[in-house]
Amino acid sequence: MHAFPESTTCGDTAVRARPAVPASLALEVIEERFPRQLHPYWPKLQEKTRTWLLEKRLMPVDKVAEYADGLCYTDLMAGYYLGASDEVLQAVADYSAWFFVWDDRHDRDIVHGRADAWRRLHGRLHRALDSPQEHLHHEDPLVAGLADAVSRLYSFLAPTWNARFTRHFHAVIDAYDREFRNRTEGIVPTVEEYLELRRLTFAHRIWTDLLEPSAGRELPDRVRKAPAYRRAALLSQEFAAWYNDLCSLPKEIAGDEVHNLGISLITHERLTLEEAVEDLRRRVEDCVSEFLVAERDALRMAGELDDGTVQGKELSAAVRACLANMRNWFSSVYWFHHESGRYMVDSWDDRSTPPYVNNEAAGEK
């Protein structure tokens, strides 16, 4: 049974007509209160990330030619990190494209039972993250690609930001390992277990960290750890993760997945598919309404940071820029899911096998 029988289409121009959104996925509040924007660098971003994927051998030439633009990975980042310099946005977009390719490798290693290959990759990624310069020419394109991407990200802010990003991404790599074990052993996590793990596999902290180089400034702990700022950041990421689960539920049911909030609800809360979809929608809608409250609180805090000094004024402006991009994340994620070929399951020849993936054990000798 398909949860969402309607299909959507992906646009291919800088000025996009709104795609048709299935009623089961439509969110009027996003379409009306979260206007969509794209960074003006987007057309060049798309071209350069496509070239980077080829140069780093992260996708086969034929897959890049046929699918890269339609997957809309650069659109997602160009709609999120507005105000970033072109150089920062390019580094973020390449890293994001790498992340999607890594996610696909992880999935294919599970599907094809490549436990040894995953174990090697898991260790190599940890090492590349700690010493990227030593892994720029690694035989596995995924390892070399990560090394290149993070080397560029590490060039924008202070070593303290780099150390934080590194720490946060080590946790993401380990969370992917936990997901690997769950999926290979057929373990569906409970709802609470899943929510905790999802915050890591979706890399909540990573995308929030990247707001700072986009704003051109590392935020002090007293700002990042302030309840108002943390709440707004968390809600923007929870929305993205749970809306992704809502949209990808058909794909993941078709692929015998165990990692999706809807699947945890069906398995452990004994909900029907329709009830699970309703629960996911409620959670997604609650994120939006709660964010609007958190955003007001965080903007008030940003205003208080402007204490009449140059430093205070600059810090206040940076926080406002980060909050504006948290808001942009809602519209960017929403439209990405209705434009990207990543979620057009009904158009695939095999609903369990994305046409844009490479099923080979890449990087193995």
Side-chain angles (χ1 to χ4, degrees):
M1 178 178 182
H2 300 170
F4 315 126
E6 305 93 334
S7 62
T8 59
T9 58
C10 179
D12 59 3
T13 59
V15 179
R16 296 191 181 282
R18 284 185 173 182
V21 179
S24 53
L25 302 176
L27 296 174
E28 187 175 323
V29 65
I30 298 296
E31 298 186 23
E32 292 184 354
R33 299 190 61 179
F34 292 78
R36 189 190 190 189
Q37 306 175 72
L38 280 176
H39 195 289
Y41 182 65
W42 171 75
K44 182 63 72 174
L45 183 73
Q46 185 181 54
E47 174 188 333
K48 288 196 171 184
T49 294
R50 190 190 318 124
T51 299
W52 186 77
L53 287 168
L54 287 170
E55 288 177 348
K56 298 302 174 185
R57 299 177 294 119
L58 288 165
M59 290 177 68
V61 174
D62 60 328
K63 301 289 188 185
V64 171
E66 186 170 357
Y67 297 108
D69 288 354
L71 289 169
C72 303
Y73 296 159
T74 54
D75 306 47
L76 179 63
M77 295 298 109
Y80 185 17
Y81 296 103
L82 277 88
S85 70
D86 294 352
E87 184 182 18
V88 167
L89 185 60
Q90 188 66 63
V92 170
D94 291 348
Y95 169 74
S96 171
W98 174 89
F99 202 114
F100 280 111
V101 174
W102 173 48
D103 186 74
D104 291 335
R105 170 88 74 85
H106 176 258
D107 177 71
R108 292 298 94 185
D109 280 351
I110 292 168
V111 169
H112 295 288
R114 299 193 293 246
D116 289 344
W118 166 253
R119 187 162 50 251
R120 282 189 290 272
L121 178 61
H122 172 256
R124 289 168 175 173
L125 293 179
H126 276 304
R127 291 190 289 275
L129 186 60
D130 284 332
S131 54
Q133 291 300 318
E134 297 175 15
H135 291 79
L136 292 172
H137 305 289
H138 196 279
E139 64 182 9
D140 187 335
L142 205 60
V143 177
L146 175 64
D148 180 81
V150 298
S151 291
R152 290 153 63 200
L153 291 174
Y154 290 166
S155 70
F156 299 122
L157 296 177
T160 48
W161 184 91
N162 297 348
R164 174 168 28 112
F165 180 94
T166 300
R167 183 173 68 253
H168 289 165
F169 197 62
H170 275 306
V172 172
I173 295 169
D174 284 339
Y176 263 68
D177 190 49
R178 287 163 57 194
E179 180 177 338
F180 189 97
R181 292 197 301 272
N182 282 348
R183 288 182 60 189
T184 54
E185 296 174 15
I187 298 170
V188 178
T190 66
V191 171
E192 288 307 312
E193 290 169 341
Y194 177 79
L195 293 177
E196 179 185 353
L197 185 57
R198 183 61 163 150
R199 289 175 183 131
L200 291 168
T201 59
F202 196 82
H204 282 23
R205 289 180 173 177
I206 292 298
W207 307 119
T208 301
D209 288 339
L210 289 168
L211 292 168
E212 294 169 64
S214 299
R217 180 185 181 120
E218 181 179 6
L219 300 181
D221 283 355
R222 64 188 174 89
V223 172
R224 287 189 304 103
K225 295 182 178 181
Y229 186 88
R230 293 182 69 169
R231 180 69 175 157
L234 176 63
L235 287 165
S236 75
Q237 293 298 313
E238 299 278 60
F239 167 84
W242 297 344
Y243 193 69
N244 176 268
D245 278 5
L246 182 62
C247 293
S248 62
L249 187 56
K251 178 181 80 169
E252 294 179 347
I253 288 176
D256 292 324
E257 262 274 23
V258 298
H259 267 248
N260 184 293
L261 180 53
I263 293 171
S264 288
L265 288 165
I266 291 168
T267 303
H268 294 288
E269 303 298 323
R270 304 302 181 190
L271 301 189
T272 64
L273 175 60
E274 291 76 11
E275 289 169 342
V277 169
E278 288 178 11
D279 189 289
L280 275 166
R281 276 192 63 96
R282 177 187 57 76
R283 290 171 188 260
V284 165
E285 290 166 352
D286 286 349
C287 279
V288 180
S289 59
E290 290 173 22
F291 173 81
L292 292 171
V293 175
E295 180 187 42
R296 287 196 296 271
D297 294 340
L299 285 170
R300 188 179 307 113
M301 179 193 73
E304 293 168 355
L305 292 170
D306 188 353
D307 57 5
T309 66
V310 172
Q311 228 178 11
K313 182 177 181 180
E314 290 177 350
L315 179 57
S316 176
V319 173
R320 288 178 184 276
C322 292
L323 291 170
N325 281 336
M326 290 178 199
R327 165 176 274 271
N328 288 333
W329 194 226
F330 286 84
S331 58
S332 192
V333 163
Y334 180 76
W335 292 112
F336 169 69
H337 281 85
H338 304 299
E339 293 173 346
S340 174
R342 195 172 179 87
Y343 304 100
M344 296 179 188
V345 180
D346 290 334
S347 68
W348 301 353
D349 292 336
D350 177 354
R351 290 173 59 85
S352 65
T353 304
Y356 48 83
V357 300
N358 179 8
N359 279 295
E360 302 302 317
E364 294 303 309
K365 299 291 185 184

